[in-house]
């Protein structure tokens, strides 16, 4: 199965990525250029990666291979959140 994964370098995503690889799934990772890959460096030889920032047309991923499943885990991480009292 060909699985397109976003957020694969994150806390939850890296655990899912490891499991998918162990199950012999073909994983295509969609990431940003500045994504820190320290959690998944050892897994990179087993997956195909695309940098979102470098894609002129995101649909090109779907033209290059058949995608059976999309798992979207990407998010924007904010270290300091406003409290509810700061918002109102």
């Amino acid at each position: 199965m060909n699985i397109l994964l976003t957020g694969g370098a994150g806390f939850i995503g890296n655990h899912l990525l490891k499991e998918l690889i162990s199950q012999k799934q073909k994983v295509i990772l969609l990431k940003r250029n500045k994504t820190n890959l320290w959690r998944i460096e050892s897994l990179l030889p087993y997956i195909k990666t695309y940098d979102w920032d470098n894609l002129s047309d995101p649909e090109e991923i779907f033209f290059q291979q058949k995608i059976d499943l999309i798992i979207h885990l990407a998010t924007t991480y904010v270290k300091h959140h406003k409290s509810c009292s700061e918002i109102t």
Side-chain angles (χ1 to χ4, degrees), residues 51-73:
D51 287 332
W52 173 260
D53 308 296
N54 295 340
L55 292 174
S56 57
D57 180 7
E59 289 183 9
E60 72 184 69
I61 296 171
F62 297 92
F63 294 127
Q64 293 181 10
Q65 61 255 313
K66 178 180 175 254
I67 303 292
D68 299 303
L69 177 68
I70 298 172
I71 302 174
H72 177 53
L73 298 175

Side-chain angles (χ1 to χ4, degrees), residues 38-56:
W38 68 272
R39 287 185 176 107
I40 62 167
E41 284 179 6
S42 64
L43 304 175
L44 293 176
Y46 305 101
I47 63 174
K48 171 75 176 160
T49 62
Y50 287 94
D51 287 332
W52 173 260
D53 308 296
N54 295 340
L55 292 174
S56 57

